Structure formats: structure tokens, C-alpha cells
């Protein structure tokens, strides 16, 4: 499984294969199924894998599947929240308009502003404020 794939589809395919093996009278120990399920997950599930392995006993494959899906959903929701709140907008400290900083403020048209903006290596927009 790659990190871009949906973990629910992966686990459903995994359980389908287990069901087909059981239909052919192939018995696989539940702990072996749990370990195989854990190690079939991509590396971004390492923390979940470590937490499950550190327990005294492994959960059944069905309980493990539920736990993995719950954690996957929690991770997806936190990532969606982070990407929504990550955006920041610059606000000028002089005119309070968004989209530029004090050094690039177009409400002031003095020669110093024009000169500062043309100096190579001059720190630009060092005095702007950000708001979420």
C-alpha cells in the first residue's frame, strides 16, 4: 500500500483475501493476521504500529481494522483542519490594507520608500503583521 491510497480500501481487500483463504479451509492464527495487517500499512502508520505492538496482547483482526480506520479518519480530519487554518494574509501597519507591508505601502509615495524597495538584499516586508 502506498501512502496516497485509502486505508479503508486496503483493509477491505486484506479482509477479502483472508475470507477467501478461510473459504479454502486455510486457517491463519488471528495474531499472525493482526501482525500482517499492521505491516501492510505504509510508513506514515508507524506510530499506530508501535502503539499496537507495545500492548501485552494483540487485538483481533476485526478490532484492529476498526482502530486503524478510526486513527486514519482522525489524521485526515486534523490534516484538513491544518490546511484550512494555515493561510495567513499580510496587513500593512500603516494603512491597514491587506496584501502588502509597510515598506511596499502604496498610500505613501515618498522617495525613501521607492529607494528602499530597489536596494538588492534589503529585507522586504519585515514589519508586516499577519492575521488568520
Amino acid at each position: 500500500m502506498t501512502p496516497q491510497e485509502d486505508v479503508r480500501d486496503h483493509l477491505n481487500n486484506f479482509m477479502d483475501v483472508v475470507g477467501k483463504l478461510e473459504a479454502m479451509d486455510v486457517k491463519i492464527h488471528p495474531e499472525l493476521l493482526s501482525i500482517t495487517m499492521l505491516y501492510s500499512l505504509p510508513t506514515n502508520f508507524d506510530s499506530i504500529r508501535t502503539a499496537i505492538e507495545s500492548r501485552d496482547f494483540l487485538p483481533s483482526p476485526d478490532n484492529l481494522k476498526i482502530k486503524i480506520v478510526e486513527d486514519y479518519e482522525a489524521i485526515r480530519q486534523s490534516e484538513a483542519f491544518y490546511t484550512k487554518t494555515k493561510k495567513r494574509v499580510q496587513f500593512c501597519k500603516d494603512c491597514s490594507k491587506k496584501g502588502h507591508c509597510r515598506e511596499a505601502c502604496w498610500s505613501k509615495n515618498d522617495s525613501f520608500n521607492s529607494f528602499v524597495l530597489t536596494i538588492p538584499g534589503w529585507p522586504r516586508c519585515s514589519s508586516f503583521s499577519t492575521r488568520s
Side-chain angles (χ1 to χ4, degrees), residues 10-117:
H10 172 70
L11 293 175
N12 287 334
N13 291 337
F14 183 88
M15 296 307 277
D16 286 342
V17 169
V18 170
K20 289 176 183 177
L21 288 172
E22 288 175 351
M24 295 186 311
D25 291 329
V26 176
K27 302 294 181 197
I28 302 174
H29 196 276
E31 285 186 358
L32 181 60
L33 285 176
S34 295
I35 291 170
T36 306
M37 186 184 299
L38 281 172
Y39 279 92
S40 69
L41 299 172
T43 56
N44 55 343
F45 285 88
D46 282 345
S47 60
I48 298 168
R49 185 181 304 132
T50 304
I52 298 292
E53 286 178 338
S54 65
R55 295 181 176 182
D56 290 337
F57 62 92
L58 289 173
S60 69
D62 292 328
N63 290 341
L64 180 59
K65 178 183 172 183
I66 292 168
K67 177 66 176 155
I68 291 170
V69 170
E70 286 174 352
D71 287 351
Y72 174 70
E73 290 296 327
I75 290 168
R76 283 187 57 206
Q77 287 177 356
S78 67
E79 287 174 353
F81 177 75
Y82 178 72
T83 56
K84 287 180 185 177
T85 59
K86 187 178 176 182
K87 297 177 185 174
R88 294 196 172 256
V89 178
Q90 287 184 1
F91 283 86
C92 177
K93 288 185 177 180
D94 286 336
C95 69
S96 299
K97 292 181 182 177
K98 66 180 179 178
H100 66 280
C101 58
R102 178 182 288 165
E103 288 87 4
C105 185
W106 52 77
S107 67
K108 291 183 175 182
N109 196 8
D110 60 352
S111 59
F112 177 74
N113 240 358
S114 302
F115 176 73
V116 166
L117 291 176

